[in-house]
Amino acid sequence: MGHGFYITVSYGVSGLIIAVVLGWIWLDGRARQRELAELEASGIRRRSSAPVKDGAA
């Protein structure tokens, strides 16, 4: 086991960790989008959305 082996394994492990983190972020984003869709379908709106004008001043 030489110096090159250590570098190759280090890059491989780092790449694997980065891939796992990116996958986790992607899956979490999909879950949050699903939760937002469920909340909006039940009538709950985000504060950042435009207010609904109902004629009341």
Side-chain angles (χ1 to χ4, degrees):
M1 287 196 298
H3 184 69
F5 176 77
Y6 171 75
I7 291 173
T8 303
V9 170
S10 296
Y11 273 106
V13 169
S14 297
L16 180 64
I17 290 171
I18 290 171
V20 167
V21 169
L22 288 175
W24 182 8
I25 291 169
W26 181 69
L27 290 172
D28 188 57
R30 287 183 56 184
R32 298 298 80 81
Q33 289 295 325
R34 193 175 326 113
E35 288 176 1
L36 281 173
E38 290 172 6
L39 289 172
E40 288 181 353
S42 69
I44 298 173
R45 300 284 180 232
R46 290 185 255 178
R47 288 183 283 171
S48 61
S49 64
V52 177
K53 306 243 188 230
D54 60 358

